[in-house]
């Protein structure tokens, strides 16, 4: 059995955890709309972020956000037992979720 020393997270781990949450949350609407066959705004639309992109573009963009979020999560050194970094990751998820809900509220018919 290895004797693993636990190091305290540095400030950059906290920032990384927030951005991991942001990317993970942003992956959800793009991926869900894409696999549902719906067009949805993406940075690749015309105009960027406001026009609709194809479902395929949204699946790819959602998958890219998921990958970046996962990599940032790993870099943040968050663990399921971590009592500080996981709430910060969750705050990033909820924060961007609220912002996205407000940004896309106009899309409801």
């Amino acid at each position: 059995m290895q004797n693993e020393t636990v190091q305290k997270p540095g400030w950059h781990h906290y920032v990384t955890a927030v951005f991991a949450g942001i990317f993970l949350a942003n992956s959800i609407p793009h991926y869900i709309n894409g696999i549902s066959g719906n067009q949805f705004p993406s940075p690749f639309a015309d105009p960027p972020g406001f026009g609709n992109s194809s479902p395929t573009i949204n699946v790819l963009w959602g998958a890219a956000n998921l990958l970046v979020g996962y990599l940032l999560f790993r870099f943040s050194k968050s663990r399921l037992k971590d009592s500080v970094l996981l709430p910060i990751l969750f705050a990033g998820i909820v924060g961007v979720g609220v912002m996205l809900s407000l940004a896309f509220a106009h899309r409801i018919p």
Side-chain angles (χ1 to χ4, degrees):
M1 183 173 183
Q2 288 183 346
N3 187 5
E4 185 178 320
T5 58
V6 178
Q7 294 178 342
K8 286 181 69 174
W11 66 269
H12 59 283
H13 292 120
Y14 299 109
V15 172
T16 305
V18 170
F19 277 96
I22 290 170
F23 277 93
L24 291 171
N26 192 47
S27 70
I28 295 168
H30 293 284
Y31 197 80
I32 296 297
N33 276 291
I35 64 173
S36 298
N38 300 325
Q39 293 186 351
F40 192 72
S42 82
F44 308 105
D46 186 26
F50 295 100
N52 287 329
S53 292
S54 71
T56 305
I57 293 294
N58 275 293
V59 166
L60 295 173
W61 183 239
N65 275 268
L66 186 62
L67 176 64
V68 170
Y70 170 75
L71 293 173
L72 288 171
F73 175 75
R74 293 292 304 248
F75 180 75
S76 74
K77 303 203 184 290
S78 295
R79 304 278 190 272
L80 291 178
K81 296 178 182 178
D82 199 324
S83 62
V84 177
L85 285 173
L86 281 182
I88 291 173
L89 172 82
F90 185 70
I93 291 171
V94 172
V96 81
V98 169
M99 288 176 21
L100 289 172
S101 72
L102 296 172
F104 291 116
H106 71 278
R107 295 186 47 84
I108 298 175

